[in-house]
Amino acid sequence: MTSRTTTDAREAARILVGGGIVAIPTETVYGLAALVHDRDAVMRVFTVKGRPFDHPLIVHLSADEDPSRWGRLSPAARALAAACWPGPLTLLVPRTALVPDWVTGGRDTVALRVPDHPLALELLSLLPDALVAPSANRFGRVSPTTSEHVIADLGDDVDAILDGGPCPVGVESTIVECTDEGVRILRPGAVTADEVRRITDLDPAGDTGPSRAPGMMPSHYAPRARVVLAENPDAGHELLRRLLAEGKTAELLWEEDDARYAAELYARMRDADDRGVRVIVAVLPPELGLGRAVCDRLRKAAASRSS
Ligand code: TXA
Ligand code: MG
């Protein structure tokens, strides 16, 4: 806890309305929030994160907001919003004139989501505007899933941290691009390709490939430790034995249960870094359901280091 940590959504709302920036809990990861139409505050979010200004932000809406004020939702997008919001799903749709350029980096699309966290929903219901909220990490670090992670990364650069405890999902929202042509998964998350298929009756293209949202460089998901991948637990243990025999500080990252693996993924990477672990041997889960999102983040973490 720091003096900037609070559990009071009304205090967070006051700070945001006063032009401040506040780290907020969501069900996926912590976000660094500013009012969408407060240009200076949004600019500060980019600056504090160290994020390029043309890297678009997700607009977070309150549960009773009409998303069609912000974007043009296709029938499939409407079905997804009705079925999954509040929840770990971001819809990428053509934007309306209400969305300012500084949120989308000048693109003609906007990313929208209603987060499923009681404190975030309470906060949003108190505000006169929607919130931008990129993950509350310094650019190039893994997303924070506790208020302590936020403090470690951003510390005194934020005006407050709304502490909602550990984020239950642990990996960023599924991003689904919705056009008149169909739906495409740009970033896998807790809303799975099967769910998208069932809800929309459309085949989501792109769900087997790597994340394709712009600016999603591998380094976004990388700890300082080198991440090497193992196809199964036996291979992981074997690799770990070899590394330890070579005198390396190495450890295994694996959970049998995919939901738990996702929830603990970033915290365990950060913890390994804090303890000076040099190599993380990460076991890839089966690429099904949430396992696909875990594989996506692990592959990115592994790809970002060549040695
Ligand atoms: O779970 C989440 O989505 C978290 C929580 C805090 O809500 N937020 C999050 O935001 O992950 P961020 O900024 O770290 O990642 C959002 C991604 C960006 O990397 C960007 O590629 C994509 O969403 N994005 C946002 N707006 C876009 C747009 N107009 N066109 C294409 N991609 C967009
Ligand atoms: Mg991020």
Side-chain angles (χ1 to χ4, degrees):
M1 295 278 277
T2 73
S3 58
R4 290 164 199 265
T5 304
T6 177
T7 56
D8 183 0
R10 285 162 306 179
E11 189 186 341
R14 270 194 302 277
I15 294 168
L16 287 162
V17 169
I21 61 174
V22 177
I24 62 165
T26 80
E27 80 281 35
T28 57
V29 302
Y30 275 75
L32 181 56
L35 296 185
V36 165
H37 288 91
D38 186 337
R39 187 172 194 274
D40 291 345
V42 174
M43 290 299 126
R44 237 184 101 204
V45 166
F46 281 105
T47 308
V48 163
K49 272 185 64 80
R51 175 162 163 152
F53 289 106
D54 62 353
H55 190 147
L57 306 175
I58 297 174
V59 171
H60 294 65
L61 306 174
S62 74
D64 60 3
E65 173 65 313
D66 175 6
S68 63
R69 292 179 66 230
W70 300 83
R72 199 167 53 72
L73 276 68
S74 64
R78 277 178 203 289
L80 286 167
C84 301
W85 284 351
L89 171 75
T90 295
L91 297 176
L92 187 62
V93 297
R95 68 162 159 163
T96 67
L98 179 61
V99 181
D101 276 342
W102 55 79
V103 166
T104 66
R107 286 175 181 74
D108 54 10
T109 53
V110 65
L112 302 173
R113 103 175 185 95
V114 180
D116 186 17
H117 190 288
L119 270 184
L121 288 170
E122 185 189 349
L123 173 65
L124 284 160
S125 76
L126 295 169
L127 294 170
D129 195 3
L131 290 173
V132 299
S135 51
N137 52 290
R138 202 75 73 182
F139 196 65
R141 298 221 57 195
V142 299
S143 295
T145 54
T146 67
S147 60
E148 288 80 13
H149 297 162
V150 178
I151 293 167
D153 268 19
L154 304 180
D156 291 344
D157 289 346
V158 298
D159 298 314
I161 299 167
L162 184 59
D163 191 349
C167 302
V169 173
V171 291
E172 304 82 352
S173 59
T174 307
I175 301 181
V176 182
E177 180 182 45
C178 302
T179 62
D180 293 335
E181 281 70 55
V183 291
R184 198 156 72 111
I185 296 180
L186 299 183
R187 180 174 74 181
V191 170
T192 64
D194 281 345
E195 285 175 79
V196 172
R197 195 174 291 116
R198 180 175 53 73
I199 293 163
T200 63
D201 245 339
L202 296 169
D203 203 28
D207 62 300
T208 51
S211 299
R212 271 186 293 210
M216 294 188 50
M217 294 88 117
S219 63
H220 287 196
Y221 301 98
R224 278 188 286 269
R226 182 159 67 97
V227 175
V228 292
L229 304 176
E231 291 296 331
N232 56 62
D234 284 347
H237 281 111
E238 179 54 36
L239 191 51
L240 181 67
R241 257 195 302 277
R242 252 191 289 145
L243 288 163
L244 294 174
E246 289 168 15
K248 298 250 167 53
T249 342
E251 66 182 34
L252 196 73
L253 177 57
W254 184 60
E255 277 294 334
E256 174 121 43
D257 178 74
D258 287 343
R260 186 151 168 207
Y261 204 168
E264 295 184 359
L265 186 64
Y266 293 144
R268 287 181 57 182
M269 286 180 177
R270 280 174 181 266
D271 183 56
D273 277 348
D274 290 346
R275 287 179 289 106
V277 172
R278 300 293 297 275
V279 187
I280 296 171
V281 178
V283 179
L284 293 166
E287 293 221 29
L288 295 167
L290 194 50
R292 184 161 282 169
V294 173
C295 285
D296 175 73
R297 305 314 191 270
L298 288 176
R299 289 215 168 86
K300 288 194 162 61
S304 78
R305 298 281 189 290
S306 54
S307 65

